[in-house]
Amino acid sequence: MADSGITIPTNRAFETKIAVRHADARSAVTASGAYVSHVTYENMVLLINEAFDHFLASTGDSKWNIAGSNIIVPKMEVEFKNEVKAGEIITFHVTPTNFGNKSFDLITVGLKENGEVCVVSKTVLIFFNYQEKRTMPVPEDFKKRYPVN
């Protein structure tokens, strides 16, 4: 599997555990006759998104109000490292990093119970004023919460 080059931060900002539900997995019989059942791409994105929600809630924020501002998500990159199945508990480490004037990267790393990395994602978030339809600076209150990684 090709490596995307996502740099994993050494200091994580937040950790949460999420149980993988049966609804998060898809089952099929392959062309060779093998039975497979694992989390699919679209459902892994939903689990990463849920970890982001937990991260924001831990500081009293939400996607609709991060330190008094809103965001848009123009890009998300997800790299699968190991198969994930229903019933597993994934520990997600969530870390904002690479702060710019109006944006930052959110790195999310998923670990299986045995410690193996199963997924790494990088989400680019841009602060945005929906009323004025323009980007805006990263709120200093948000930026100062997180050490440089």
Side-chain angles (χ1 to χ4, degrees), residues 50-141:
E50 184 176 345
F52 181 42
D53 288 342
H54 291 194
F55 163 71
L56 291 173
S58 75
T59 59
D61 290 317
S62 71
K63 289 180 186 140
W64 304 274
N65 186 347
I66 298 177
S69 299
N70 298 114
I71 55 166
I72 56 173
V73 179
K75 180 180 177 182
M76 181 179 198
E77 183 177 346
V78 178
E79 182 178 331
F80 284 87
K81 298 288 193 177
N82 280 294
E83 186 176 45
V84 176
K85 297 179 176 282
E88 292 188 283
I89 306 292
I90 305 301
T91 299
F92 288 98
H93 296 165
V94 182
T95 308
T97 188
N98 195 29
F99 284 92
N101 292 329
K102 298 179 180 189
S103 66
F104 69 98
D105 295 340
L106 188 76
I107 306 299
T108 305
V109 179
L111 298 148
K112 297 175 73 154
E113 292 175 286
N114 65 6
E116 289 181 330
V117 174
C118 58
V119 67
V120 178
S121 76
K122 175 180 160 183
T123 308
V124 177
L125 297 113
I126 298 174
F127 284 88
F128 193 77
N129 182 321
Y130 281 90
Q131 289 179 330
E132 297 177 13
K133 303 287 188 214
R134 65 175 179 84
T135 58
M136 55 189 298
V138 175
E140 284 302 317
D141 286 346

Side-chain angles (χ1 to χ4, degrees), residues 9-28:
T10 54
N11 299 322
R12 63 179 175 261
F14 178 75
E15 179 179 300
T16 189
K17 294 182 185 301
I18 298 176
V20 178
R21 304 167 307 155
H22 287 282
D24 298 321
R26 296 283 190 271
S27 301

